[in-house]
């Protein structure tokens, strides 16, 4: 089956009991046991629920994992994955990972004894430099957030394997439609289902999967023990979103490419970050490991002081956190999504105060371009 077919028919896509083509929402916490001490496949909905299972089987199939896991948010998924480590363990992570991942490590896991080093993970020499006797994992995002840095996942995972490290990849920006990290050598993939997978800005969810049976058992143990599972309603909604991922992603990419080129040619724009641009430093690697360049674009204005004016002047494009929905969303990472990273750390990794991140939606491209043009002209009037 091709991936766009798997999105629709993969995992458990029908109700075996009734033939319903949409898996029903099993809104139940518990299940009748016919014989004492012999529960059926499901016994309690934290441990397992048929609607959630359909989604879990789907993400495993899409990413090439042996088992999938659904959580109440992307961060709940990441929290469960980080629970695999012990006090004293050390992790190496990319220097512009999602702000919330950084906060989780710094404020929740570091006090419990987990340590980490952030490096520019595009450079193997930097990974080498960060390696200690206690390093247990390499945690990567590609394309990264918000700078859309591209990491060679195959090369990094091979390096990690040589050093007996687990490679964890946050695949939220690319989705399994564009990139499959497990096939490139990663061990665990995590997702914020809130973004492209859900795709309609109407739910918060997280997913994880692995192709390693032993890791799958450990993740399952923590999922059930910590309990941050996704409810049946949202599991259903997320599975519904995933069915249209291919058509949405194609539309996102088509618009993003046009917007990136439009911004490159605009005199008020100083710099554009989009892996589809041939002068993007990760362009070749992205072309090799991804099916397309995604729907995220970041840029800097020539006049950084105009950032607030610019984003507030937009009418179609919405000023909001999050990304990956059908509607275009714009944000300023230094003030919004990445505010939890201290300014010095942000600047070292290149996230300047004037950086703008645009999640290009699937609206008519003319409306998006006119909206940007309008906001640029407001800046000119103010001079
Ligand atoms: C949003 C996001 C997360 C966190 O997911 P939530 O669903 O908001 O908890 C993690 N990683 C990336 C790359 C994200 O964009």
């Amino acid at each position: 089956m091709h991936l766009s077919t798997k999105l629709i028919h993969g995992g458990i896509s029908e109700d075996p009991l009734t033939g319903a083509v949409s898996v029903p929402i099993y809104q139940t916490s518990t299940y009748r046991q016919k014989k004492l001490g012999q529960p059926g496949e499901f016994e309690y909905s934290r441990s397992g629920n048929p609607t959630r299972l359909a989604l879990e089987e789907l993400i495993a199939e899409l990413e090439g994992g042996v088992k999938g896991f659904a959580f109440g948010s992307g961060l709940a998924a990441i929290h469960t994955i980080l629970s695999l480590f012990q006090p004293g363990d050390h992790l190496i992570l990319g220097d512009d990972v999602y702000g919330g991942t950084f906060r989780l490590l710094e404020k929740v896991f570091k006090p419990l004894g987990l340590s980490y080093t952030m490096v520019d993970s595009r450079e193997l020499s930097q990974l080498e430099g960060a390696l200690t006797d206690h390093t247990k994992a390499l945690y990567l995002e590609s394309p990264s957030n918000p700078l859309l840095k591209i990491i060679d996942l195959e090369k990094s995972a091979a390096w990690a394997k040589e050093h007996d490290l687990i490679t964890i990849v946050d695949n939220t920006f690319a989705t399994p439609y564009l990139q499959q990290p497990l096939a490139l050598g990663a061990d665990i993939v995590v997702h914020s289902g809130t973004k492209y997978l859900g795709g309609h800005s109407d739910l918060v969810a997280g997913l994880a999967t692995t192709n390693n049976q032993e890791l799958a058992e450990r993740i399952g143990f923590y999922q059930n023990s910590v309990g941050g599972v996704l409810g049946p309603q949202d599991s259903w909604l997320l599975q519904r979103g995933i069915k249209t991922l291919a058509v949405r992603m194609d539309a996102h990419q088509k618009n993003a490419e046009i917007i990136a080129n439009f911004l490159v040619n605009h005199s008020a724009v100083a710099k554009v970050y989009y892996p589809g641009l041939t002068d993007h430093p990760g362009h070749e690697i992205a072309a090799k490991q991804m099916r397309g360049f995604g729907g995220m674009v970041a840029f800097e204005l020539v006049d950084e002081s105009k950032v607030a004016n610019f984003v507030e002047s937009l009418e179609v494009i919405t000023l909001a956190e999050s990304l990956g929905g059908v509607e275009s969303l714009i944000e300023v990472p230094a003030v919004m999504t990445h505010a939890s990273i201290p300014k010095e750390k942000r600047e070292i990794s290149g996230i300047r105060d004037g950086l703008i991140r645009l999640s290009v939606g699937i609206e008519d491209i003319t409306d998006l371009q006119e909206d940007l043009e309008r906001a640029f002209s407001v800046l000119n009037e103010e001079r």
Side-chain angles (χ1 to χ4, degrees):
M1 243 191 259
H2 291 90
L3 199 83
S4 14
T5 310
K6 268 193 205 166
L7 291 167
I8 298 162
H9 296 288
I12 301 167
S13 63
E14 292 182 356
D15 181 29
L17 216 60
T18 61
V21 297
S22 160
V23 174
I25 302 170
Y26 283 91
Q27 195 68 45
T28 187
S29 60
T30 193
Y31 307 82
R32 179 195 291 274
Q33 302 192 8
K34 297 212 172 96
K35 288 239 159 65
L36 180 64
Q38 291 176 34
E41 183 183 358
F42 300 98
E43 62 185 301
Y44 183 62
S45 279
R46 172 165 31 74
S47 321
N49 172 284
T51 317
R52 195 178 88 221
L53 180 67
L55 171 68
E56 294 178 326
E57 296 272 304
L58 178 60
I59 192 63
E61 186 167 340
L62 295 176
E63 291 283 11
V66 290
K67 205 165 173 351
F69 304 91
F71 300 88
S73 70
L75 278 176
I78 296 167
H79 181 278
T80 296
I81 299 306
L82 294 177
S83 304
L84 298 171
F85 302 101
Q86 304 293 318
D89 287 353
H90 173 259
L91 271 63
I92 301 175
L93 82 157
D95 62 0
D96 63 341
V97 296
Y98 178 69
T101 303
F102 166 76
R103 182 178 55 202
L104 178 60
L105 270 164
E106 176 65 24
K107 305 279 198 216
V108 179
F109 282 97
K110 200 164 117 185
L112 298 175
L114 207 61
S115 65
Y116 66 91
T117 308
M118 283 174 111
V119 298
D120 184 340
S121 46
R122 290 172 300 183
E123 307 286 340
L124 276 191
S125 61
Q126 293 223 14
L127 299 181
E128 282 297 346
L131 191 68
T132 74
D133 290 344
H134 301 285
T135 308
K136 291 282 158 39
L138 175 62
Y139 186 104
L140 303 172
E141 263 176 60
S142 182
S144 74
N145 178 18
L147 287 167
L148 306 164
K149 289 184 193 167
I150 302 291
I151 294 156
D152 189 325
L153 294 177
E154 196 166 15
K155 213 164 88 186
S156 313
W159 174 84
K161 202 145 275 160
E162 264 170 45
H163 298 278
D164 279 332
L165 312 183
I166 296 173
T167 302
I168 304 163
V169 175
D170 181 332
N171 202 27
T172 301
F173 270 40
T175 80
Y177 179 59
L178 299 185
Q179 169 175 284
Q180 290 160 350
L182 298 181
L184 298 169
D187 303 291
I188 297 173
V189 168
V190 292
H191 279 284
S192 169
T194 315
K195 316 295 168 54
Y196 287 106
L197 295 179
H200 297 74
S201 306
D202 53 11
L203 69 93
V204 173
L207 296 169
T209 184
T210 173
N211 54 7
N212 175 307
Q213 196 60 47
E214 190 206 324
L215 283 174
E217 270 155 39
R218 292 179 60 207
I219 296 166
F221 170 81
Y222 284 105
Q223 181 194 38
N224 186 44
S225 303
V226 178
V229 296
L230 191 63
Q233 302 260 353
D234 282 347
S235 295
W236 178 84
L237 202 50
L238 183 50
Q239 184 170 22
R240 189 178 71 161
I242 291 173
K243 286 179 205 269
T244 56
L245 180 66
V247 281
R248 282 187 289 107
M249 213 61 196
D250 287 343
H252 281 295
Q253 298 198 120
K254 196 164 152 224
N255 279 354
E257 196 185 332
I258 297 170
I259 298 274
N261 283 299
F262 164 78
L263 292 170
V264 164
N265 292 313
H266 205 288
S267 58
V269 176
K271 198 166 170 137
V272 181
Y273 302 84
Y274 183 63
L277 297 171
T278 48
D279 65 351
H280 184 286
H283 178 72
E284 303 276 310
I285 301 167
K288 184 184 70 175
Q289 72 188 13
M290 297 172 75
R291 177 206 282 258
F293 302 105
M296 299 299 297
V297 177
F299 59 102
E300 284 160 13
L301 298 182
V302 172
D303 185 350
E304 280 203 359
S305 70
K306 296 274 175 70
V307 163
N309 269 332
F310 179 78
V311 295
E312 288 166 10
S313 304
L314 294 160
E315 287 166 19
V316 179
I317 301 171
T318 308
L319 176 60
E321 297 205 2
S322 200
L323 60 107
V326 288
E327 61 291 285
S328 295
L329 299 178
I330 202 159
E331 67 113 7
V332 179
V335 186
M336 300 167 69
T337 50
H338 290 63
S340 55
I341 300 179
K343 188 176 162 79
E344 323 83 69
K345 273 214 168 75
R346 276 203 311 264
E347 301 220 315
I348 293 169
S349 47
I351 307 170
R352 301 164 57 129
D353 286 351
L355 183 77
I356 297 171
R357 185 188 80 182
L358 174 59
S359 170
V360 182
I362 64 171
E363 299 96 337
D364 189 292
I365 188 65
T366 323
D367 292 323
L368 298 181
Q369 233 162 313
E370 280 174 9
D371 200 29
L372 290 167
E373 205 60 272
R374 180 166 47 235
F376 281 127
S377 61
V378 169
L379 302 189
N380 285 336
E381 281 160 24
E382 283 177 355
R383 277 210 195 112

